[in-house]
């Protein structure tokens, strides 16, 4: 069952139950008030009628100075023409049908004196009898069935008992109409509430629908999809969190794609780098085994095999360093002086610099850096060695230390603008033939970038073709 349907069912059920409870309460309150009002009004009406009949009897009795006989009583009651006025009396009239009438003077109902006397009354002088659930008192001459309020009095001047029935059937009719009205009201209120809830929830849950659609699109691979945040409520906050999650997923996917792409490129370059020397080694070895060469040619072949083997060894070492740097999450850092870093780099690079006729100048003023001395020395060695390869005989390479930065500058060939973002990739070489001739394999700057990343240090490249390059290490 959908969330919207659940809310509507719960709310409508609550409204329905509340409406029924209120309707029942209202019905009982109105019922009690109506019965009390009808009882009071009927009691007053009955009292008026009975008092009027009694006064008439007293007037006749006073004029004749004797009790009223049966004939007079019948005349009095017939003159009133009140079908709900009943009189029973003990008279001296011995008419032949007296036994059949059972002392009835006037009675238009189907009830006998015994029936009326059997009812419970509240008082001997002025008595009422009413029970809403009591069987109906039928009025035979009027062909009507309803409920009645009953009052009786004993009249001494005529030795009779007068019963006055008041018709209160209108109370039951009104209550019946009230019950129907309340039932209709409950139905209408519940139906209107359901409609209003349906419209309101449809409007309120539109952001959730959009969120659901966005989740489906992301599940289908559309990671660039975002949810429009309309209001700053709980759903809006959920939409913002969803957008942040989608951005994180998209960023992670792009990162994984980039990693996968770089790994694929790395493996391709590695295969190529290994294939070239291995092919040469295999070819020269096969030649030495199958062809009888002169001593000079054999020496040249063995020299080439040796040089290519050394290149493979360097390549394997650099690959191992790169892999170790990628795997290790933390390094041990200490305060290292710029003088120590420059000394370590000069010790390694000085021989190749002398062979190429290039001068290295180091400038420092006692600066220190928080770093791993060996790794940062490796960075400077790679940068100076790359500067050497880009320079010509007689050029100068300048290494300068200042507050929070180290700059290695050369005045060689420079780096084309479109190549700046590529030179940090493994195996990438601007001039492949010259780099291989100088013993390069395209991993020096990749290792440098990894080491600097571990040191939270930025590498800035400023270069102009034909005028040289500045490699800036900016410590954060």
């Amino acid at each position: 069952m959908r969330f919207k349907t659940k809310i509507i069912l719960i709310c409508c059920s609550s409204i329905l139950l509340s409406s029924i409870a209120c309707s029942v309460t209202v019905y009982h309150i109105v019922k009690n008030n109506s019965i009390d009002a009808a009882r009071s009004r009927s009691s007053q009406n009955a009292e008026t009628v009975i008092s009027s009949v009694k006064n008439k009897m007293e007037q006749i009795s006073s004029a004749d100075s004797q009790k009223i006989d049966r004939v007079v009583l019948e005349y009095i009651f017939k003159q009133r023409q009140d079908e709900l006025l009943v009189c029973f009396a003990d008279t001296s009239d011995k008419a032949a049908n007296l036994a059949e009438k059972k002392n009835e003077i006037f009675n238009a109902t189907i009830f006998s004196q015994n029936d009326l006397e059997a009812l419970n009354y509240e008082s001997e002088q002025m008595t009422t009898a009413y029970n809403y659930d009591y069987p109906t008192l039928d009025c035979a001459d009027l062909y009507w069935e309803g409920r009645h309020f009953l009052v009786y009095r004993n009249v001494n001047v005529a030795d009779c008992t007068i019963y006055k029935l008041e018709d209160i059937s209108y109370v039951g009719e009104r209550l019946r109409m009230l019950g129907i009205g309340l039932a209709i009201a409950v139905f209408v209120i519940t139906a209107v509430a359901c409609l209003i809830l349906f419209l309101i929830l449809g409007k309120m849950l539109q952001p959730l629908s959009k969120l659901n659609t966005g989740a489906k699109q992301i599940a289908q691979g559309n990671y660039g999809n975002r949810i429009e945040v309309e209001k700053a409520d709980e759903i809006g906050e959920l939409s913002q969190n969803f957008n942040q999650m989608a951005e994180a997923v998209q960023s992670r996917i792009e990162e994984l794609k980039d990693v996968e792409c770089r790994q694929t490129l790395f493996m391709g370059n590695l295969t190529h780098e290994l294939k070239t020397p291995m092919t040469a080694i295999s070819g020269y070895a096969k030649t030495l085994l199958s062809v009888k060469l002169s001593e000079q040619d054999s020496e040249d072949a063995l020299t080439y095999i040796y040089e290519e083997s050394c290149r493979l060894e360097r390549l394997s070492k650099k690959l191992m360093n790169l892999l170790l740097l990628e795997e290790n999450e933390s390094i041990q850092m200490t305060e290292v002086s710029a003088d120590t870093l420059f000394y370590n780099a000069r010790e390694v690079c000085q021989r190749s610099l002398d062979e190429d006729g290039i001068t290295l100048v180091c400038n420092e003023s006692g600066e220190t850096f928080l770093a791993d001395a060996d790794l940062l020395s490796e960075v400077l060695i790679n940068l100076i060695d790359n500067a050497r390869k880009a320079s010509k005989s007689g050029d100068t390479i300048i290494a300068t230390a200042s507050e929070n930065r180290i700059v290695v500058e050369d005045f060689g060939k420079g780096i084309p603008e479109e190549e700046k973002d590529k030179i940090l990739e493994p195996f990438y070489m601007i001039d492949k033939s010259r780099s291989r001739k100088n013993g390069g394999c395209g991993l020096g700057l990749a290792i440098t970038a990894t080491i600097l990343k571990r040191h939270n240090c930025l590498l800035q490249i400023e270069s102009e073709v034909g005028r040289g390059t500045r490699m800036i290490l900016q410590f954060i």
Side-chain angles (χ1 to χ4, degrees), residues 173-419:
E173 183 64 20
R174 290 178 182 177
L175 292 176
R176 186 178 69 84
M177 296 302 297
L178 176 63
I180 294 175
L182 290 175
I184 295 175
V186 169
F187 175 78
V188 172
I189 290 173
T190 304
V192 172
C194 288
L195 178 60
I196 294 175
L197 280 172
F198 181 81
L199 296 176
I200 293 176
L201 287 175
K203 184 67 176 177
M204 292 180 60
L205 296 179
Q206 279 184 355
L208 284 180
S209 178
K210 294 180 180 179
L211 191 63
N212 185 39
T213 302
K216 289 180 179 179
Q217 292 182 355
I218 289 181
Q220 294 172 357
N222 186 12
Y223 300 108
N225 183 64
R226 295 294 180 272
I227 305 300
E228 181 180 356
V229 180
E230 297 179 355
K231 297 181 180 179
D233 53 9
E234 288 81 358
I235 297 180
E237 184 178 354
L238 178 62
S239 299
Q240 289 180 348
N241 294 335
F242 182 85
N243 288 337
Q244 293 177 359
M245 180 192 70
E247 290 176 2
V249 171
Q250 184 181 17
S251 176
R252 182 58 178 168
I253 292 296
E254 292 176 353
E255 181 181 347
L256 291 176
K257 287 182 178 179
D258 182 62
V259 170
E260 182 181 3
C261 182
R262 287 190 286 107
Q263 287 179 346
T264 302
L265 180 62
F266 180 86
M267 293 305 298
N269 290 331
L270 176 61
T271 302
H272 177 74
E273 291 296 327
L274 291 175
K275 182 180 178 181
T276 302
M278 291 300 295
T279 301
I281 292 172
S282 176
Y284 276 104
K286 186 176 181 180
T287 301
L288 289 173
L289 290 173
S290 59
V291 179
K292 188 174 182 179
L293 300 175
S294 63
E295 184 177 350
Q296 183 62 40
D297 291 338
S298 297
E299 185 177 346
D300 292 340
L302 290 173
T303 300
Y304 191 85
I305 291 174
Y306 174 74
E307 290 176 352
E308 291 301 307
S309 299
C310 292
R311 192 156 76 90
L312 284 175
E313 183 181 5
R314 290 193 301 273
L315 177 61
S316 63
K317 288 181 179 179
K318 290 190 175 183
L319 280 174
M320 185 61 67
N321 291 335
L322 183 60
L323 292 175
L324 289 175
L325 287 172
E326 290 287 350
E327 291 177 357
N328 294 332
E329 296 183 358
S330 61
I331 56 177
Q332 189 68 33
M333 294 190 183
T334 57
E335 289 286 342
V336 183
S337 65
D339 179 62
T340 300
L341 295 173
F342 288 157
Y343 176 81
N344 294 338
R346 184 186 293 276
E347 285 293 311
V348 176
C349 299
Q350 190 62 54
R351 180 178 177 181
S352 58
L353 290 171
D354 292 341
E355 291 177 353
D356 293 342
I358 298 173
T359 303
L360 174 63
V361 177
C362 297
N363 300 319
E364 53 88 19
S365 301
E367 291 84 1
T368 59
F369 302 93
L370 185 63
D372 183 295
D374 294 334
L375 292 178
L376 196 56
S377 297
E378 180 71 16
V379 169
L380 291 177
I381 292 170
N382 287 331
L383 294 180
I384 293 172
D385 192 55
N386 284 339
R388 175 188 65 82
K389 295 174 183 177
S391 302
K392 59 184 182 295
S393 180
D395 286 347
T396 300
I397 298 174
I398 302 175
T400 305
S402 59
E403 185 178 2
N404 294 331
R405 67 163 25 186
I406 297 175
V407 180
V408 177
E409 182 178 7
D410 67 72
F411 304 92
K413 296 187 299 179
I415 303 172
E417 187 68 27
E418 64 275 10
E419 305 285 348

